[in-house]
Amino acid sequence: MSQGKVLKVSGPLVVATGMEEANMFDVVHVGEQGLIGEIIEMRGDRASIQVYEETAGIGPGVPVVTTGAPLSVELGPGLIETMYDGIQRPLEEMVKQVGANITRGIKVPALSREKKWTFVPTAQVGDEVEAGDIIGTVQETVIVQQRIMVPYGVKGVIESIEEGDFTVEETVCKVRLADGSIRDLTMMQKWPVRRGRPYKEKLVPEMPLITGQRVIDTMFPIAKGGVAAVPGPFGSGKTVVQHQLAKWADADIVVYIGCGERGNEMTDVLMEFPELNDPRTGESLMKRTVLIANTSDMPVAAREASIYTGITIAEYFRDMGYSVALMADSTSRWAEALREMSGRLEEMPGEEGYPAYLASRLAQFYERAGRTISLGKEGRLGALSAIGAVSPPGGDISEPVSQATLRIVKVFWCLDSQLAYKRHFPAINWLQSYSLYVDRLEKWYEDNVAKDFPVMRLETITLLQEEAELNEIVQLVGVDSLSFEDRLKLEVAKSIREDYLHQNAFHDVDTFTSMNKQYKLLKLILSFYELGKDAIKKGANFGKLSSLEVRESIGRFKYIEEEKIDQSFEALMGEMKAAISDLVSKEAEDDD
């Protein structure tokens, strides 16, 4: 360990000299309290350090000691259900040690060194193992089984492996390497956060991450292993969208990063998640969740660490063969931290003062998502889907963070303050949002939902776009100037908006909609449109057609329980056909 001295302090940036033995991204301890920092720039023996704790009271001449190792996370049993800060210190443990006001320089291991876990071997003495192979399992929570993997860079033959209760530091397996030396394996491994964990192969995303949110699954789906951005102004429901995805998305593990969000917003998450029931198992949602709480009152530098900490933990579970959903709320706060650090380093600013490398940093983060085959002889298929919330100032998505994010991600859920003002939630604007995964996922929808589902989706989007055009005409010359067919189009588009896209997150039944129910509800609405067009051509009265009682039944269809869907669908379809047919025949009789 080499030691230098502080030369100057500028907020979270500390410059130290005498650091010629240190390397880029090494973790250092600053001052008597040992504040944690990371080297972000080296010039000769002078190191620029971003400190992850408050630097008040630190002055020139204070010692700086480098650890010689990069910022790393501890991976092993004990991650699930834990709430960490941005540099992976467990919040509950820190509170136990020092109380609610967490002091500077406190050192708490990320994984408990006292707690014993029951290790069940799946490999035997004499087995040849390599990086990524599973040697045993630990039942971490009722839902999650940790698969203990051989760490990166280890290949050899198992000399001994034991079953029993161990702490994360105790040896559970000994491996003889090719050079004859013995390597002790524990249940814990460390990994530098800025390096993506290696995998054997990255696959093309071919199946959607089903979320149970109709506007997402039908209109703008995200693939398993895909990336999405949720930009939106204050109060447009970003956090509720992320909560819904965490609760209902078809993922085994949820990693939620509160990156620089306001303290009270993060408190909501910390209080709500333990109380939320996991719909698939009936247990608390926390039994498959890792929370990283990094609020705005923490030094800005820690925001960057929290993003990397979260995605490294997510990659670890992906390598076990799990499907992981990562929520980053919000990447704008991280970008603001980059801007502040860049300004203090006196770098040449880019657009709106953000550093010129903003886009490449965002890309490095999102590129770590994907569907992968893990290392090891029996490569496991895992997926890491990343969903980043963006908080553009004043809701203006032309600002640099939103634009840089949109160039990287393939799904854009545009939250609209006007929709939120009208109490239409999720407030995802159907005219501005998009998903570039649609073409690739078409085959999955055809095979697993219905052959005509992709066609229906296209027809729905077309109807909504035509509604926007017709509304402009209506505002100019009134609704009476439209043909009956165009007026029917407006009625059906309204039904799509209010009965299909509007979804109540707090309603027991409506909060989640299966793909079968989504298909059948959409089929009812579009069938009404087709039958209605036909009826109008045959001379049916538009006023009577639009006020048919069956339309209310279609609107209430979303509140029907899943087990009654098929039966209700057939009954409603029959009722609708009969009602429209009666209307046409009555009109024909009246004409006669």
Side-chain angles (χ1 to χ4, degrees), residues 103-154:
T103 52
R104 296 187 296 167
I106 180 171
K107 309 275 187 298
V108 181
L111 300 178
S112 166
R113 299 298 193 256
E114 285 83 48
K115 186 166 183 178
K116 286 188 180 276
W117 300 93
T118 304
F119 175 75
V120 180
T122 54
Q124 300 170 340
V125 173
D127 284 359
E128 276 193 31
V129 290
E130 56 183 76
D133 283 345
I134 292 172
I135 54 168
T137 61
V138 170
Q139 195 64 42
E140 186 171 0
T141 68
V142 187
I143 306 169
V144 179
Q145 186 187 62
Q146 275 247 8
R147 294 155 191 171
I148 307 301
M149 297 174 286
V150 175
Y152 190 58
V154 175

Short mmCIF file of all heavy atoms in Angstrom, two decimals, residues 103-154:
data_model
loop_
_atom_site.label_atom_id
_atom_site.label_comp_id
_atom_site.label_asym_id
_atom_site.label_seq_id
_atom_site.Cartn_x
_atom_site.Cartn_y
_atom_site.Cartn_z
N THR A 103 -22.23 7.84 10.22
CA THR A 103 -21.01 8.66 10.27
C THR A 103 -20.10 8.34 9.08
O THR A 103 -20.24 7.32 8.43
CB THR A 103 -20.24 8.39 11.57
OG1 THR A 103 -20.05 6.98 11.70
CG2 THR A 103 -21.01 8.88 12.78
N ARG A 104 -19.14 9.26 8.87
CA ARG A 104 -18.21 9.06 7.74
C ARG A 104 -17.17 8.01 8.07
O ARG A 104 -16.81 7.80 9.22
CB ARG A 104 -17.50 10.38 7.43
CG ARG A 104 -18.44 11.46 6.95
CD ARG A 104 -17.68 12.67 6.49
NE ARG A 104 -16.92 13.31 7.55
CZ ARG A 104 -15.99 14.23 7.36
NH1 ARG A 104 -15.71 14.62 6.14
NH2 ARG A 104 -15.35 14.78 8.37
N GLY A 105 -16.68 7.36 7.02
CA GLY A 105 -15.57 6.42 7.19
C GLY A 105 -15.96 5.08 7.80
O GLY A 105 -15.09 4.26 8.10
N ILE A 106 -17.26 4.84 7.98
CA ILE A 106 -17.68 3.57 8.59
C ILE A 106 -17.42 2.42 7.61
O ILE A 106 -17.68 2.53 6.42
CB ILE A 106 -19.16 3.63 9.03
CG1 ILE A 106 -19.60 2.31 9.66
CG2 ILE A 106 -20.08 3.96 7.86
CD1 ILE A 106 -20.96 2.38 10.31
N LYS A 107 -16.84 1.33 8.12
CA LYS A 107 -16.53 0.17 7.26
C LYS A 107 -17.39 -1.01 7.73
O LYS A 107 -17.27 -1.46 8.86
CB LYS A 107 -15.05 -0.22 7.39
CG LYS A 107 -14.06 0.92 7.20
CD LYS A 107 -13.74 1.17 5.75
CE LYS A 107 -12.65 2.19 5.58
NZ LYS A 107 -12.92 3.53 6.09
N VAL A 108 -18.27 -1.45 6.84
CA VAL A 108 -19.12 -2.60 7.14
C VAL A 108 -19.04 -3.55 5.94
O VAL A 108 -19.23 -3.11 4.81
CB VAL A 108 -20.60 -2.18 7.36
CG1 VAL A 108 -21.46 -3.38 7.69
CG2 VAL A 108 -20.70 -1.15 8.46
N PRO A 109 -18.73 -4.84 6.16
CA PRO A 109 -18.67 -5.74 4.99
C PRO A 109 -20.04 -5.89 4.34
O PRO A 109 -21.08 -5.88 5.01
CB PRO A 109 -18.20 -7.07 5.59
CG PRO A 109 -18.48 -6.98 7.05
CD PRO A 109 -18.42 -5.53 7.41
N ALA A 110 -20.03 -6.03 3.01
CA ALA A 110 -21.30 -6.13 2.26
C ALA A 110 -22.04 -7.40 2.60
O ALA A 110 -23.27 -7.42 2.68
CB ALA A 110 -21.00 -6.08 0.76
N LEU A 111 -21.31 -8.48 2.79
CA LEU A 111 -21.93 -9.76 3.17
C LEU A 111 -21.53 -10.08 4.60
O LEU A 111 -20.35 -9.94 4.98
CB LEU A 111 -21.45 -10.88 2.23
CG LEU A 111 -21.76 -10.71 0.74
CD1 LEU A 111 -21.19 -11.86 -0.07
CD2 LEU A 111 -23.27 -10.60 0.49
N SER A 112 -22.49 -10.52 5.40
CA SER A 112 -22.22 -10.82 6.82
C SER A 112 -21.13 -11.88 6.95
O SER A 112 -21.15 -12.90 6.25
CB SER A 112 -23.51 -11.31 7.48
OG SER A 112 -23.21 -11.89 8.73
N ARG A 113 -20.17 -11.61 7.85
CA ARG A 113 -19.08 -12.59 8.08
C ARG A 113 -19.44 -13.59 9.17
O ARG A 113 -18.76 -14.59 9.36
CB ARG A 113 -17.79 -11.85 8.49
CG ARG A 113 -17.27 -10.87 7.44
CD ARG A 113 -16.89 -11.59 6.15
NE ARG A 113 -16.13 -10.76 5.26
CZ ARG A 113 -16.59 -10.18 4.16
NH1 ARG A 113 -17.87 -10.35 3.84
NH2 ARG A 113 -15.81 -9.46 3.39
N GLU A 114 -20.55 -13.32 9.91
CA GLU A 114 -20.95 -14.23 11.00
C GLU A 114 -21.99 -15.25 10.56
O GLU A 114 -21.98 -16.39 11.01
CB GLU A 114 -21.53 -13.43 12.18
CG GLU A 114 -20.51 -12.71 13.03
CD GLU A 114 -20.11 -11.37 12.46
OE1 GLU A 114 -21.01 -10.59 12.09
OE2 GLU A 114 -18.89 -11.12 12.34
N LYS A 115 -22.90 -14.83 9.69
CA LYS A 115 -24.05 -15.69 9.34
C LYS A 115 -23.57 -16.94 8.61
O LYS A 115 -22.73 -16.88 7.71
CB LYS A 115 -25.03 -14.91 8.46
CG LYS A 115 -26.30 -15.70 8.19
CD LYS A 115 -27.41 -14.86 7.63
CE LYS A 115 -28.66 -15.70 7.44
NZ LYS A 115 -29.79 -14.96 6.95
N LYS A 116 -24.14 -18.08 9.02
CA LYS A 116 -23.77 -19.35 8.36
C LYS A 116 -24.86 -19.74 7.36
O LYS A 116 -26.05 -19.56 7.62
CB LYS A 116 -23.59 -20.46 9.41
CG LYS A 116 -22.30 -20.32 10.21
CD LYS A 116 -22.06 -21.52 11.10
CE LYS A 116 -20.77 -21.39 11.90
NZ LYS A 116 -19.59 -21.80 11.15
N TRP A 117 -24.43 -20.26 6.21
CA TRP A 117 -25.34 -20.69 5.15
C TRP A 117 -25.15 -22.19 4.91
O TRP A 117 -24.03 -22.68 4.97
CB TRP A 117 -25.06 -19.93 3.86
CG TRP A 117 -25.22 -18.46 3.98
CD1 TRP A 117 -24.25 -17.54 4.27
CD2 TRP A 117 -26.43 -17.71 3.81
NE1 TRP A 117 -24.78 -16.28 4.31
CE2 TRP A 117 -26.12 -16.35 4.02
CE3 TRP A 117 -27.76 -18.05 3.51
CZ2 TRP A 117 -27.06 -15.33 3.95
CZ3 TRP A 117 -28.70 -17.04 3.42
CH2 TRP A 117 -28.35 -15.71 3.64
N THR A 118 -26.24 -22.88 4.63
CA THR A 118 -26.14 -24.32 4.38
C THR A 118 -25.73 -24.56 2.94
O THR A 118 -26.48 -24.25 2.00
CB THR A 118 -27.49 -25.01 4.66
OG1 THR A 118 -27.87 -24.70 6.01
CG2 THR A 118 -27.39 -26.52 4.50
N PHE A 119 -24.52 -25.09 2.76
CA PHE A 119 -23.98 -25.34 1.42
C PHE A 119 -24.24 -26.80 1.04
O PHE A 119 -23.89 -27.73 1.78
CB PHE A 119 -22.47 -25.06 1.42
CG PHE A 119 -21.78 -25.40 0.13
CD1 PHE A 119 -21.92 -24.60 -1.00
CD2 PHE A 119 -20.97 -26.54 0.03
CE1 PHE A 119 -21.27 -24.92 -2.19
CE2 PHE A 119 -20.33 -26.86 -1.15
CZ PHE A 119 -20.49 -26.05 -2.27
N VAL A 120 -24.90 -27.01 -0.11
CA VAL A 120 -25.19 -28.37 -0.60
C VAL A 120 -24.39 -28.60 -1.88
O VAL A 120 -24.68 -27.97 -2.91
CB VAL A 120 -26.70 -28.56 -0.88
CG1 VAL A 120 -26.99 -29.96 -1.38
CG2 VAL A 120 -27.52 -28.21 0.35
N PRO A 121 -23.36 -29.48 -1.85
CA PRO A 121 -22.52 -29.65 -3.05
C PRO A 121 -23.31 -30.30 -4.19
O PRO A 121 -24.18 -31.14 -3.98
CB PRO A 121 -21.41 -30.60 -2.58
CG PRO A 121 -21.51 -30.66 -1.09
CD PRO A 121 -22.92 -30.33 -0.74
N THR A 122 -23.00 -29.86 -5.43
CA THR A 122 -23.57 -30.52 -6.62
C THR A 122 -22.44 -31.14 -7.45
O THR A 122 -22.69 -31.86 -8.40
CB THR A 122 -24.35 -29.52 -7.49
OG1 THR A 122 -23.48 -28.42 -7.80
CG2 THR A 122 -25.58 -28.99 -6.78
N ALA A 123 -21.19 -30.83 -7.08
CA ALA A 123 -20.03 -31.44 -7.74
C ALA A 123 -19.38 -32.43 -6.78
O ALA A 123 -19.68 -32.42 -5.57
CB ALA A 123 -19.04 -30.35 -8.14
N GLN A 124 -18.52 -33.31 -7.29
CA GLN A 124 -17.88 -34.34 -6.46
C GLN A 124 -16.36 -34.26 -6.58
O GLN A 124 -15.83 -33.65 -7.52
CB GLN A 124 -18.34 -35.73 -6.93
CG GLN A 124 -19.83 -35.94 -6.83
CD GLN A 124 -20.26 -37.23 -7.53
OE1 GLN A 124 -19.55 -37.75 -8.37
NE2 GLN A 124 -21.44 -37.73 -7.18
N VAL A 125 -15.70 -34.90 -5.63
CA VAL A 125 -14.25 -35.00 -5.68
C VAL A 125 -13.86 -35.69 -6.99
O VAL A 125 -14.46 -36.68 -7.39
CB VAL A 125 -13.72 -35.79 -4.46
CG1 VAL A 125 -12.22 -36.05 -4.58
CG2 VAL A 125 -14.03 -35.04 -3.17
N GLY A 126 -12.84 -35.13 -7.64
CA GLY A 126 -12.39 -35.73 -8.92
C GLY A 126 -12.99 -35.06 -10.15
O GLY A 126 -12.53 -35.26 -11.26
N ASP A 127 -14.05 -34.26 -9.94
CA ASP A 127 -14.66 -33.56 -11.09
C ASP A 127 -13.72 -32.47 -11.60
O ASP A 127 -13.08 -31.76 -10.81
CB ASP A 127 -15.98 -32.89 -10.68
CG ASP A 127 -17.11 -33.89 -10.53
OD1 ASP A 127 -16.86 -35.09 -10.77
OD2 ASP A 127 -18.24 -33.49 -10.17
N GLU A 128 -13.66 -32.36 -12.92
CA GLU A 128 -12.92 -31.24 -13.51
C GLU A 128 -13.85 -30.04 -13.58
O GLU A 128 -14.97 -30.15 -14.06
CB GLU A 128 -12.45 -31.60 -14.93
CG GLU A 128 -11.15 -32.36 -14.93
CD GLU A 128 -10.53 -32.43 -16.32
OE1 GLU A 128 -10.73 -31.49 -17.11
OE2 GLU A 128 -9.88 -33.44 -16.60
N VAL A 129 -13.39 -28.90 -13.06
CA VAL A 129 -14.24 -27.71 -13.08
C VAL A 129 -13.49 -26.54 -13.70
O VAL A 129 -12.26 -26.49 -13.69
CB VAL A 129 -14.73 -27.33 -11.65
CG1 VAL A 129 -15.72 -28.33 -11.12
CG2 VAL A 129 -13.56 -27.15 -10.69
N GLU A 130 -14.28 -25.60 -14.23
CA GLU A 130 -13.69 -24.37 -14.79
C GLU A 130 -14.58 -23.19 -14.39
O GLU A 130 -15.66 -23.39 -13.82
CB GLU A 130 -13.59 -24.48 -16.31
CG GLU A 130 -14.91 -24.77 -17.00
CD GLU A 130 -14.74 -24.95 -18.50
OE1 GLU A 130 -14.26 -26.02 -18.94
OE2 GLU A 130 -15.11 -24.00 -19.21
N ALA A 131 -14.12 -21.99 -14.70
CA ALA A 131 -14.87 -20.78 -14.32
C ALA A 131 -16.31 -20.86 -14.81
O ALA A 131 -16.56 -21.21 -15.95
CB ALA A 131 -14.19 -19.56 -14.92
N GLY A 132 -17.25 -20.57 -13.90
CA GLY A 132 -18.67 -20.58 -14.27
C GLY A 132 -19.39 -21.86 -13.90
O GLY A 132 -20.62 -21.88 -13.84
N ASP A 133 -18.66 -22.95 -13.66
CA ASP A 133 -19.31 -24.21 -13.27
C ASP A 133 -19.90 -24.09 -11.87
O ASP A 133 -19.32 -23.45 -10.98
CB ASP A 133 -18.30 -25.37 -13.27
CG ASP A 133 -18.00 -25.87 -14.68
OD1 ASP A 133 -18.78 -25.51 -15.59
OD2 ASP A 133 -17.00 -26.57 -14.88
N ILE A 134 -21.06 -24.72 -11.66
CA ILE A 134 -21.70 -24.68 -10.34
C ILE A 134 -21.16 -25.84 -9.50
O ILE A 134 -21.17 -26.99 -9.93
CB ILE A 134 -23.24 -24.80 -10.49
CG1 ILE A 134 -23.77 -23.52 -11.14
CG2 ILE A 134 -23.91 -25.00 -9.15
CD1 ILE A 134 -25.22 -23.57 -11.53
N ILE A 135 -20.67 -25.50 -8.29
CA ILE A 135 -20.14 -26.57 -7.41
C ILE A 135 -21.12 -26.90 -6.28
O ILE A 135 -20.97 -27.91 -5.61
CB ILE A 135 -18.75 -26.18 -6.82
CG1 ILE A 135 -18.82 -24.81 -6.12
CG2 ILE A 135 -17.68 -26.20 -7.90
CD1 ILE A 135 -17.60 -24.49 -5.28
N GLY A 136 -22.11 -26.03 -6.06
CA GLY A 136 -23.07 -26.29 -4.99
C GLY A 136 -24.13 -25.22 -4.94
O GLY A 136 -24.08 -24.24 -5.70
N THR A 137 -25.09 -25.40 -4.05
CA THR A 137 -26.18 -24.43 -3.94
C THR A 137 -26.41 -24.02 -2.49
O THR A 137 -26.07 -24.76 -1.56
CB THR A 137 -27.50 -25.01 -4.50
OG1 THR A 137 -27.85 -26.16 -3.74
CG2 THR A 137 -27.38 -25.37 -5.97
N VAL A 138 -27.00 -22.84 -2.32
CA VAL A 138 -27.41 -22.34 -1.00
C VAL A 138 -28.82 -21.80 -1.15
O VAL A 138 -29.08 -20.99 -2.05
CB VAL A 138 -26.46 -21.21 -0.53
CG1 VAL A 138 -27.03 -20.53 0.72
CG2 VAL A 138 -25.07 -21.73 -0.26
N GLN A 139 -29.74 -22.26 -0.30
CA GLN A 139 -31.12 -21.74 -0.35
C GLN A 139 -31.13 -20.42 0.40
O GLN A 139 -31.21 -20.38 1.62
CB GLN A 139 -32.09 -22.75 0.28
CG GLN A 139 -33.55 -22.48 -0.04
CD GLN A 139 -33.89 -22.61 -1.53
OE1 GLN A 139 -33.43 -23.53 -2.19
NE2 GLN A 139 -34.68 -21.69 -2.05
N GLU A 140 -31.03 -19.32 -0.35
CA GLU A 140 -30.87 -18.00 0.28
C GLU A 140 -32.19 -17.48 0.86
O GLU A 140 -32.25 -17.00 1.98
CB GLU A 140 -30.31 -17.01 -0.73
CG GLU A 140 -29.98 -15.70 -0.09
CD GLU A 140 -29.21 -14.77 -1.03
OE1 GLU A 140 -28.93 -15.14 -2.17
OE2 GLU A 140 -28.90 -13.67 -0.58
N THR A 141 -33.26 -17.54 0.06
CA THR A 141 -34.59 -17.19 0.56
C THR A 141 -35.53 -18.30 0.10
O THR A 141 -35.12 -19.20 -0.63
CB THR A 141 -35.10 -15.84 0.01
OG1 THR A 141 -35.35 -15.99 -1.40
CG2 THR A 141 -34.12 -14.71 0.22
N VAL A 142 -36.81 -18.18 0.48
CA VAL A 142 -37.80 -19.19 0.08
C VAL A 142 -37.83 -19.30 -1.45
O VAL A 142 -38.04 -20.37 -2.02
CB VAL A 142 -39.21 -18.77 0.57
CG1 VAL A 142 -40.23 -19.85 0.32
CG2 VAL A 142 -39.16 -18.38 2.03
N ILE A 143 -37.59 -18.18 -2.14
CA ILE A 143 -37.73 -18.15 -3.60
C ILE A 143 -36.41 -18.38 -4.31
O ILE A 143 -36.35 -19.05 -5.33
CB ILE A 143 -38.31 -16.77 -4.04
CG1 ILE A 143 -39.61 -16.47 -3.28
CG2 ILE A 143 -38.54 -16.71 -5.54
CD1 ILE A 143 -40.10 -15.05 -3.44
N VAL A 144 -35.32 -17.80 -3.79
CA VAL A 144 -34.05 -17.77 -4.54
C VAL A 144 -33.05 -18.78 -4.01
O VAL A 144 -32.75 -18.82 -2.81
CB VAL A 144 -33.42 -16.36 -4.48
CG1 VAL A 144 -32.09 -16.33 -5.22
CG2 VAL A 144 -34.37 -15.34 -5.08
N GLN A 145 -32.54 -19.58 -4.93
CA GLN A 145 -31.46 -20.51 -4.61
C GLN A 145 -30.18 -19.96 -5.24
O GLN A 145 -30.09 -19.78 -6.44
CB GLN A 145 -31.77 -21.89 -5.21
CG GLN A 145 -30.76 -22.95 -4.80
CD GLN A 145 -30.99 -24.26 -5.53
OE1 GLN A 145 -30.91 -24.35 -6.75
NE2 GLN A 145 -31.28 -25.31 -4.78
N GLN A 146 -29.19 -19.67 -4.37
CA GLN A 146 -27.91 -19.19 -4.90
C GLN A 146 -27.13 -20.38 -5.45
O GLN A 146 -27.02 -21.41 -4.79
CB GLN A 146 -27.09 -18.55 -3.77
CG GLN A 146 -27.45 -17.12 -3.55
CD GLN A 146 -26.30 -16.17 -3.91
OE1 GLN A 146 -25.28 -16.55 -4.46
NE2 GLN A 146 -26.50 -14.91 -3.60
N ARG A 147 -26.61 -20.20 -6.64
CA ARG A 147 -25.77 -21.26 -7.24
C ARG A 147 -24.32 -20.81 -7.10
O ARG A 147 -23.93 -19.79 -7.67
CB ARG A 147 -26.16 -21.47 -8.70
CG ARG A 147 -27.59 -22.02 -8.81
CD ARG A 147 -28.26 -21.71 -10.11
NE ARG A 147 -29.70 -22.05 -10.02
CZ ARG A 147 -30.60 -21.75 -10.94
NH1 ARG A 147 -30.25 -21.10 -12.02
NH2 ARG A 147 -31.86 -22.09 -10.78
N ILE A 148 -23.57 -21.57 -6.32
CA ILE A 148 -22.17 -21.17 -6.05
C ILE A 148 -21.31 -21.58 -7.24
O ILE A 148 -21.20 -22.77 -7.56
CB ILE A 148 -21.65 -21.79 -4.74
CG1 ILE A 148 -22.62 -21.50 -3.57
CG2 ILE A 148 -20.24 -21.30 -4.44
CD1 ILE A 148 -22.85 -20.03 -3.28
N MET A 149 -20.70 -20.58 -7.89
CA MET A 149 -19.95 -20.84 -9.12
C MET A 149 -18.45 -20.76 -8.89
O MET A 149 -17.99 -20.07 -7.98
CB MET A 149 -20.35 -19.81 -10.18
CG MET A 149 -21.81 -19.91 -10.60
SD MET A 149 -22.31 -18.58 -11.72
CE MET A 149 -22.40 -17.18 -10.62
N VAL A 150 -17.72 -21.47 -9.73
CA VAL A 150 -16.25 -21.40 -9.70
C VAL A 150 -15.86 -20.01 -10.21
O VAL A 150 -16.34 -19.58 -11.26
CB VAL A 150 -15.62 -22.49 -10.62
CG1 VAL A 150 -14.11 -22.34 -10.67
CG2 VAL A 150 -16.02 -23.88 -10.14
N PRO A 151 -15.01 -19.28 -9.45
CA PRO A 151 -14.69 -17.91 -9.86
C PRO A 151 -13.88 -17.86 -11.16
O PRO A 151 -13.28 -18.86 -11.58
CB PRO A 151 -13.89 -17.35 -8.69
CG PRO A 151 -13.52 -18.49 -7.83
CD PRO A 151 -14.41 -19.64 -8.16
N TYR A 152 -13.88 -16.69 -11.77
CA TYR A 152 -13.18 -16.47 -13.04
C TYR A 152 -11.68 -16.74 -12.87
O TYR A 152 -11.08 -16.38 -11.87
CB TYR A 152 -13.41 -15.01 -13.47
CG TYR A 152 -12.95 -14.70 -14.86
CD1 TYR A 152 -13.46 -15.39 -15.95
CD2 TYR A 152 -12.00 -13.70 -15.09
CE1 TYR A 152 -13.06 -15.09 -17.24
CE2 TYR A 152 -11.59 -13.40 -16.37
CZ TYR A 152 -12.12 -14.09 -17.45
OH TYR A 152 -11.71 -13.80 -18.72
N GLY A 153 -11.09 -17.44 -13.83
CA GLY A 153 -9.64 -17.69 -13.80
C GLY A 153 -9.25 -18.97 -13.08
O GLY A 153 -8.06 -19.26 -12.94
N VAL A 154 -10.22 -19.76 -12.60
CA VAL A 154 -9.90 -21.01 -11.89
C VAL A 154 -10.30 -22.20 -12.78
O VAL A 154 -11.42 -22.27 -13.27
CB VAL A 154 -10.64 -21.09 -10.54
CG1 VAL A 154 -10.42 -22.44 -9.86
CG2 VAL A 154 -10.20 -19.96 -9.62
#
